[in-house]
Amino acid sequence: MSRQVKTAGLNVGVLEKRWRLPGRKYRVIYRSVLMENLQYAANIALGFFGYFVFIFIFIKLWDYMYRSPGELIAGYSKEQMIWYVMMTEMMWFGSNASAVGRQVKTDIRGGNIAYLMNKPYHYTLYILARYTGEWSIRLPMYAGLAAVIGTVMVGPVPGFKLITVPAMALCIVLGLTINAVFKICIGLLSFWIEDSSPFQWLYDKLLLVVGTVFPIEIFPKAWQSFFKLTPIYTVCYGPAKLIVDFQPEKCVEILAAQGLYLAAGCILMFSVYRKGVRKLYVNGG
């Protein structure tokens, strides 16, 4: 009887260990990249100048557009519009998401994928873990810079409440993850085409113009309905919208959309990767 209990206990221990190991692998990858980027925090700070110039230009632009005090454009006051652009650009500069697609493309075209896909982890989750470790250093630095620039040059965010910060932070993290997942999907097209860079460029420019530089409300209503069905709504517009104009029902709507997009994006990512690896095996690696 005691032997059976020991055996059962051993089996449970092994099962628990198996469940813990997958997550532990990616936590180790995350921590290693995090520590690596901490050593180069000064290099990250060099990008602050480009961010400041970009925001300074847009502050002057919206100062010109809002000619009378209290004027609203697409439902945004001048302070809200400037803070919206500062938050979306903070995520753009602070995440460096272009490195994700570039890394996937380079691994596939250079043949490094044959080495990485035989490692004891899933390649796509490995890329996500590395990316998360990178923006975990960059994003807080740019967030601090944005807070200083905005407070000094524009003033505090109208109606901002500290109690809403956890929901905003969750929305930002989900937005960055969704963006990375779709950029990985585009990068995986390199299994079939020589260079996926043109598709990355189109995707980036769509996010930059629609949802990053301008909120969705700026565009015609017919376009707004369409944009809400695209990653734009969950990647950049949603997080920035909650920061400048937090509404509980809007928060629930955006988080629900992000959950659906993340699930759909992961299914697509795993499916494309599996087909790409199968193609690699069929062609002899």
Side-chain angles (χ1 to χ4, degrees):
M1 180 68 179
S2 60
R3 182 180 300 176
Q4 292 178 349
V5 172
K6 290 181 180 179
T7 303
L10 179 61
N11 290 337
V12 171
V14 171
L15 184 60
E16 290 179 350
K17 186 176 181 181
R18 287 179 179 176
W19 276 103
R20 287 197 304 264
L21 278 177
R24 185 178 180 183
K25 298 174 188 175
Y26 304 111
R27 286 197 298 269
V28 170
I29 295 171
Y30 167 80
R31 285 198 300 267
S32 64
V33 176
L34 185 69
M35 297 305 296
E36 178 184 340
N37 279 270
L38 277 173
Q39 301 176 13
Y40 299 100
N43 291 340
I44 297 174
L46 293 176
F48 287 179
F49 179 73
Y51 176 79
F52 174 77
V53 171
F54 196 93
I55 295 303
F56 181 80
I57 292 173
F58 269 88
I59 288 177
K60 295 304 178 183
L61 173 64
W62 289 117
D63 276 340
Y64 175 78
M65 297 290 290
Y66 285 87
R67 297 185 178 182
S68 59
E71 183 181 359
L72 297 178
I73 296 180
Y76 290 79
S77 66
K78 183 178 74 172
E79 292 78 14
Q80 287 179 319
M81 189 67 77
I82 294 175
W83 272 105
Y84 178 92
V85 175
M86 283 197 295
M87 292 298 99
T88 54
E89 290 302 326
M90 176 266 292
M91 290 184 282
W92 186 273
F93 280 83
S95 64
N96 192 28
S98 59
V100 177
R102 186 166 56 248
Q103 181 66 54
V104 175
K105 179 194 70 173
T106 302
D107 287 339
I108 296 176
R109 294 185 64 186
N112 196 37
I113 187 69
Y115 168 75
L116 292 173
M117 70 185 199
N118 291 316
K119 290 288 186 178
Y121 48 69
H122 198 282
Y123 172 75
T124 59
L125 297 181
Y126 161 76
I127 294 295
L128 279 178
R130 285 189 57 87
Y131 170 65
T132 305
E134 291 176 0
W135 67 250
S136 293
I137 299 298
R138 296 176 58 92
L139 193 66
M141 295 175 65
Y142 276 93
L145 177 65
V148 172
I149 295 176
T151 303
V152 172
M153 301 187 69
V154 183
V157 181
F160 181 80
K161 298 179 180 179
L162 286 176
I163 196 173
T164 61
V165 169
M168 295 175 185
L170 176 60
C171 195
I172 291 174
V173 171
L174 288 175
L176 295 179
T177 305
I178 293 170
N179 188 33
V181 166
F182 279 97
K183 290 189 75 66
I184 290 174
C185 290
I186 297 174
L188 291 173
L189 294 177
S190 296
F191 276 119
W192 293 273
I193 60 178
E194 184 176 355
D195 188 5
S196 61
S197 297
F199 298 99
Q200 296 282 5
W201 185 87
L202 289 173
Y203 174 79
D204 288 340
K205 293 303 174 283
L206 180 63
L207 286 182
L208 181 62
V209 175
V210 184
T212 301
V213 175
F214 302 105
I216 290 178
E217 289 87 351
I218 289 287
F219 298 91
K221 289 188 176 181
W223 292 19
Q224 294 179 28
S225 301
F226 171 74
F227 290 147
K228 287 184 178 181
L229 300 176
T230 67
I232 296 168
Y233 186 72
T234 59
V235 171
C236 46
Y237 168 81
K241 177 66 174 178
L242 291 182
I243 292 173
V244 302
D245 184 20
F246 186 89
Q247 299 175 12
E249 60 277 8
K250 193 69 174 181
C251 179
V252 173
E253 176 186 322
I254 292 172
L255 288 174
Q258 287 181 321
L260 291 174
Y261 253 98
L262 183 59
C266 286
I267 293 172
L268 178 63
M269 179 179 69
F270 291 137
S271 176
V272 174
Y273 176 74
R274 184 171 59 252
K275 291 181 180 180
V277 170
R278 188 182 301 122
K279 178 179 183 297
L280 197 64
Y281 280 129
V282 169
N283 293 335

